[in-house]
Amino acid sequence: MNLIKSCCLFVVFSSFLACTSQVSDVKSVSYTEFVNPFIGTDFTGNTYPGAQAPFGMVQLSPDNGLPGWDRISGYFYPDSTIAGFSHTHLSGTGAGDLYDISFMPVTLPYKEAEAPLGIHSLFSHSEESASAGYYQVRLKDYNINVELTATERCGIQRYTFPKADAAVFLNLRKAMNWDFTNDSHIEAVDSVTVQGYRYSDGWARDQRLYFRTRFSKPFAAMQLDTAAIEKEGKRIGTSVIARFDFQTKEGEQILVSTAISGVSMEGAARNLAAEVPDDDFDKYLAAVQDDWNEQLSRIEIKCDDRDEKVKFYTALYHSMIAPTIYSDVDGAYYGPDKQVHRVEGWTNYSTFSLWDTYRAAHPLYTFIEPERVNDMVKSFLAFFEQNGRLPVWNFQGGETDMMIGYHSVPVIVDAYLKGIGDFDAKKALEACVATANIDSYRGIGLYKKYGYVPYNVTDQYNSENWSLSKTLEYAYDDYCIARMAEKLGDKEVADEFYKRSRNYRNVYNPVSSFMQPRDDKGEFIRNFSPDDYTPHICESNGWQYFWSVQQDIDGLIVLTGGKERFAQKLDSMFTYNPSADDELPIFSTGMIGQYAHGNEPSHHVYLFNAVDQPWKTQKYAARVMRELYLNTPAGLCGNEDCGQMSAWYVFSAMGFYPVDPVGGKYEIGTPLYPEMKMHLPGGKTFTVLAPAVSKENCYIQSVKLNGKNYDKSYITHEQIMDGSVFEFEMGDKPGQAWYSPR
């Protein structure tokens, strides 16, 4: 999703020794100390600060206890209350769902406000801390210190109590924002173990989450508060809150270990037994920190500025929060067909914010997470088999149909073109083609009939409009299908989809020189202004969506009238500022002129390279990285969107970006660090050197590849995977194009 994104992440660490000692040095660096999970918890980032393993099913994090846009991920940095620690959260999506299996420790008597806050405590940021895989806070009203850590499928809480009559509440009744409790259940298994489930509706329709919890100390008593849940005058289920009583000594610690499952209480029990068999918080904290260190060490940066290191490694961390694991330790998972399925030899994933993440997050995974890429593609194909089409924005075993396009296609195609994985490529192509030909889905039939989605035809298949954006997004996905078909030798499919990929031309109006909505008679909409945010354009305006032709930038240049006119239009986008009295929508943030970095449609505008003015790409990329990503809670200029905001930063800080995510080429921007090393599968290392780089020296003067002069404006996937060394000579003045004009 896409709403507001702000400034975030850069990172760097200390210098590296010779190759012979490099491996041990990498392992000795504690990258987790450079991760600040509070980045994005203020302003519009909508991130959460809690504990999670890389791509983990559990996201154990504090909830302030109040609903609202600012608390869409459960936590908002300016707040002063905590009302529970729940096990599921979304990272910067703008979607108010989850907050499942919420625990709250108290001493008696406890503080309870009117709904929606309920039982809660005040807290202070001076008594709060977080790092990768760890969160800590002191609940002021009870003098209870809470610590959180996690494995992939389990959350582990450690409460340090005062001498008191104490209790722990488990609240399955409370629902916030879009969420609604349909039914819930809690039962005691023995004196330290409970299990149950919570069924809910919200963004994730018919969500089912099961749990098994083990306390490290027997509870003295268990009380259940149940109430009927009614909808439309009929009882549909039961809401339940459990209270577990304890007598605690000063400094006594109680661990609460909880496994979750989308399948069953028995599945949750197996997850708990496999991943958290012991009551040992420090053991699991050390394990998740080791996991994060290994993940984060795949990219090394050299820099003396700690803030820059924190920005980079927090960005890399945020890019590894989602997608999330969605199968139990035995391979079982809940599918979109409402049946339980089982994987063998791979892991099922969910939480795919594809309208956002196909642009940079998934291309980043092809370098640092190729095994997960393979599993993600297999997850898509299984979803197709069970749901009849590839996912658009799926999570918790279902499809939300949020945003547009069929952007699982570029993720599949990118993996195939890069030779990643062992998935069945022919079946994958069949799934892509079938999804692209569902005429009854969101205007696809209209798109095929007219060569664009008419803005004036709305029915049950095209009710939300966004006609212009759909045309451009579908055309890009069609190009991806054509690329895959071509490589597989299917000329008929390739020709058909290459033709469809040129449909972007059908919404270009040469009179206005913008992409413009058209009706079913072929007439462009009247009184069109590219400044306006209209129902025909998805979370953007005409300026921001004009460039969404990643598959054919050269063709877009020709349409616009040539390189000079195209360059003028790019200049205008960055210099034409909204009026002071313009009321911009919530997703137009991180503005530079009409460029909105807080939302994804602008992210690939590394396009000055295409008109032989690379210094402008360097200028604006450096400005975005330095001004719109900060080491502060408000350090993201828009929604994090499951890693896309951060993946943009990771790529850009390394000095290049995938304008066309499946093109195999990465446009050169400007590196941020004197030295960057990306450790690749197979033992090779890709290196970027820029010894003179600084805030002022952001302009590339010349480039060398493996010691020889380099004359291209892009880096190829093969060059990166070969372990090449790129060296940039930097200066404080724009350099002429070092490469041969296109």
Side-chain angles (χ1 to χ4, degrees):
M1 297 221 44
N2 227 346
L3 290 155
I4 7 192
K5 303 149 178 244
S6 128
C7 335
C8 182
L9 331 151
F10 236 22
V11 173
V12 231
F13 84 88
S14 47
S15 56
F16 306 131
L17 304 178
C19 295
T20 54
S21 62
Q22 179 177 330
V23 173
S24 60
D25 286 346
V26 168
K27 290 184 177 180
S28 68
V29 174
S30 177
Y31 293 91
T32 59
E33 71 177 81
F34 297 127
V35 172
N36 178 7
F38 292 109
I39 290 176
T41 59
D42 196 358
F43 189 46
T44 61
N46 281 341
T47 62
Y48 52 82
Q52 181 176 359
F55 303 94
M57 181 189 293
V58 161
Q59 308 90 39
L60 179 56
S61 190
D63 296 318
N64 297 131
L66 296 173
W69 165 252
D70 290 328
R71 300 159 191 84
I72 214 84
S73 67
Y75 179 97
F76 186 46
Y77 194 82
D79 279 358
S80 60
T81 60
I82 287 177
F85 302 90
S86 58
H87 284 71
T88 60
H89 295 84
L90 286 162
S91 181
T93 62
D97 205 353
L98 301 181
Y99 330 107
D100 291 293
I101 322 302
S102 177
F103 288 86
M104 182 67 182
V106 300
T107 58
L108 306 181
Y110 54 83
K111 288 180 63 175
E112 185 170 13
E114 292 184 2
L117 181 57
I119 299 170
H120 68 283
S121 173
L122 295 175
F123 78 103
S124 169
H125 295 305
S126 65
E127 298 179 298
E128 182 186 38
S129 62
S131 60
Y134 178 75
Y135 173 85
Q136 172 274 328
V137 69
R138 187 178 76 89
L139 301 178
K140 293 176 67 173
D141 291 315
Y142 312 119
N143 193 26
I144 299 172
N145 190 61
V146 175
E147 297 171 279
L148 312 178
T149 192
T151 65
E152 288 183 338
R153 299 169 180 86
C154 303
I156 306 100
Q157 304 176 74
R158 179 163 64 186
Y159 305 146
T160 303
F161 286 92
K163 177 177 171 42
D165 293 329
V168 176
F169 284 91
L170 169 54
N171 191 339
L172 305 188
R173 175 179 300 160
K174 187 168 183 174
M176 293 190 297
N177 296 314
W178 304 3
D179 193 31
F180 180 85
T181 304
N182 286 333
D183 193 19
S184 59
H185 173 73
I186 300 172
E187 64 183 46
V189 177
D190 54 39
S191 63
V192 296
T193 310
V194 297
Q195 63 182 9
Y197 58 79
R198 180 174 183 263
Y199 299 163
S200 60
D201 264 320
W203 199 34
R205 294 181 285 275
D206 192 27
Q207 180 195 352
R208 301 189 174 199
L209 197 69
Y210 302 86
F211 71 94
R212 168 71 74 101
T213 294
R214 184 184 68 245
F215 294 91
S216 62
K217 175 182 179 177
F219 40 85
M222 169 180 164
Q223 304 173 45
L224 297 181
D225 175 10
T226 61
I229 300 174
E230 294 187 354
K231 187 179 287 187
E232 298 177 352
K234 296 182 179 179
R235 179 167 182 163
I236 62 169
T238 301
S239 69
V240 59
I241 301 173
R243 170 176 157 175
F244 304 94
D245 291 334
F246 299 90
Q247 289 286 328
T248 58
K249 300 176 183 177
E250 182 68 33
E252 183 175 359
Q253 294 183 332
I254 297 177
L255 269 63
V256 183
S257 302
T258 301
I260 63 173
S261 167
V263 174
S264 65
M265 291 185 287
E266 293 76 17
R270 286 188 286 271
N271 291 343
L272 186 64
E275 294 189 357
V276 186
D278 305 314
D279 293 326
D280 189 340
F281 184 92
D282 292 331
K283 170 185 174 180
Y284 301 113
L285 174 59
V288 76
Q289 288 178 330
D290 286 347
D291 194 358
W292 276 115
N293 275 324
E294 194 281 326
Q295 297 281 324
L296 296 169
S297 72
R298 296 177 186 186
I299 303 178
E300 299 180 58
I301 60 172
K302 180 178 180 179
C303 169
D304 295 327
D305 187 327
R306 181 178 175 83
D307 274 353
E308 292 301 306
K309 294 180 181 180
V310 171
K311 289 198 299 179
F312 182 84
Y313 284 108
T314 305
L316 190 56
Y317 163 84
H318 275 145
S319 76
M320 299 175 181
I321 292 296
T324 57
I325 291 168
Y326 194 64
S327 54
D328 291 348
V329 291
D330 62 357
Y333 70 95
Y334 184 62
D337 56 358
K338 311 305 179 187
Q339 302 297 315
V340 174
H341 302 270
R342 193 177 303 275
V343 301
E344 293 185 9
W346 57 281
T347 300
N348 186 56
Y349 284 82
S350 188
T351 319
F352 288 101
S353 184
L354 292 164
W355 184 79
D356 309 290
T357 55
Y358 88 90
R359 304 166 194 268
H362 285 282
L364 178 63
Y365 303 150
T366 65
F367 293 114
I368 62 174
E369 303 284 351
E371 291 183 0
R372 294 189 199 269
V373 170
N374 188 34
D375 286 354
M376 290 174 191
V377 172
K378 290 181 177 180
S379 301
F380 291 165
L381 299 181
F383 193 93
F384 172 79
E385 292 174 357
Q386 297 154 22
N387 196 52
R389 55 183 168 90
L390 290 168
V392 173
W393 211 128
N394 70 309
F395 86 121
Q396 298 296 320
E399 176 61 78
T400 69
D401 289 309
M402 181 61 70
M403 310 313 292
I404 53 174
Y406 22 95
H407 293 318
S408 46
V409 167
V411 177
I412 293 169
V413 173
D414 192 32
Y416 170 67
L417 294 178
K418 290 175 178 175
I420 293 173
D422 60 355
F423 59 90
D424 189 320
K426 289 186 177 180
K427 286 187 177 180
L429 178 61
E430 290 172 4
C432 293
V433 171
T435 299
N437 281 317
I438 301 176
D439 293 350
S440 61
Y441 186 72
R442 304 178 87 178
I444 290 177
L446 298 171
Y447 168 80
K448 290 166 60 180
K449 177 180 178 180
Y450 294 99
Y452 58 92
V453 180
Y455 74 84
N456 65 325
V457 181
T458 57
D459 54 27
Q460 69 266 37
Y461 306 132
N462 189 36
S463 59
E464 75 269 271
N465 206 317
W466 290 344
S467 62
L468 179 68
S469 300
K470 286 178 181 176
T471 299
L472 296 173
E473 302 279 1
Y474 291 158
Y476 180 74
D477 292 339
D478 291 343
Y479 152 81
C480 296
I481 293 172
R483 288 285 309 274
M484 187 172 187
E486 183 177 43
K487 186 168 182 180
L488 281 168
D490 193 330
K491 185 176 184 304
E492 182 178 352
V493 170
D495 289 347
E496 175 189 355
F497 280 88
Y498 273 130
K499 181 180 178 180
R500 283 173 55 161
S501 76
R502 293 188 286 273
N503 281 342
Y504 75 88
R505 301 176 182 179
N506 297 331
V507 291
Y508 177 75
N509 186 350
V511 176
S512 66
S513 188
F514 279 95
M515 302 296 176
Q516 198 163 322
R518 296 179 77 174
D519 65 19
D520 59 343
K521 307 300 182 187
E523 297 295 325
F524 288 105
I525 196 170
R526 296 182 180 182
N527 302 317
F528 174 78
S529 170
D531 303 9
D532 292 342
Y533 295 85
T534 78
H536 315 300
I537 302 176
C538 180
E539 294 190 356
S540 303
N541 66 13
W543 281 102
Q544 294 151 20
Y545 244 104
F546 175 78
W547 321 96
S548 292
V549 188
Q550 300 99 306
Q551 72 272 26
D552 190 12
I553 297 301
D554 290 340
L556 184 61
I557 290 171
V558 171
L559 270 187
T560 310
K563 288 185 176 182
E564 183 177 355
R565 179 71 187 96
F566 191 81
Q568 291 171 351
K569 200 174 187 73
L570 273 170
D571 284 332
S572 296
M573 183 177 68
F574 284 102
T575 58
Y576 174 41
N577 294 309
S579 301
D581 57 352
D582 282 352
E583 293 187 10
L584 297 178
I586 197 169
F587 44 75
S588 281
T589 55
M591 301 289 288
I592 303 176
Q594 292 295 321
Y595 174 84
H597 192 71
N599 216 357
E600 277 68 25
S602 294
H603 276 190
H604 70 281
V605 188
Y606 267 60
L607 301 181
F608 284 107
N609 288 12
V611 291
D612 308 318
Q613 297 181 18
W615 56 90
K616 292 181 181 176
T617 296
Q618 297 152 29
K619 170 187 172 182
Y620 289 116
R623 180 177 173 184
V624 171
M625 287 187 283
R626 294 192 182 278
E627 295 181 8
L628 299 182
Y629 290 84
L630 304 173
N631 180 20
T632 67
L636 288 173
C637 67
N639 276 5
E640 169 58 25
D641 283 334
C642 291
Q644 170 58 26
M645 277 291 285
S646 292
W648 184 96
Y649 187 88
V650 171
F651 265 123
S652 297
M654 292 192 293
F656 51 96
Y657 188 81
V659 169
D660 171 9
V662 307
K665 296 178 180 178
Y666 303 82
E667 291 295 328
I668 293 173
T670 181
L672 277 183
Y673 314 114
E675 182 177 332
M676 184 283 299
K677 294 182 179 181
M678 182 158 55
H679 301 290
L680 302 165
K684 293 185 178 181
T685 299
F686 172 69
T687 304
V688 173
L689 302 174
V693 73
S694 66
K695 183 177 181 180
E696 295 75 24
N697 291 351
C698 66
Y699 295 106
I700 297 173
Q701 310 298 306
S702 65
V703 181
K704 289 184 178 180
L705 167 63
N706 297 329
K708 299 180 180 179
N709 289 335
Y710 186 70
D711 64 352
K712 301 290 189 297
S713 66
Y714 56 82
I715 295 171
T716 69
H717 185 74
E718 290 76 16
Q719 288 167 336
I720 294 172
M721 297 305 294
D722 284 344
S724 301
V725 177
F726 274 86
E727 186 169 1
F728 294 89
E729 179 188 356
M730 308 299 294
D732 62 358
K733 301 270 191 311
Q736 293 300 310
W738 69 89
Y739 55 81
S740 303
R742 297 189 180 189

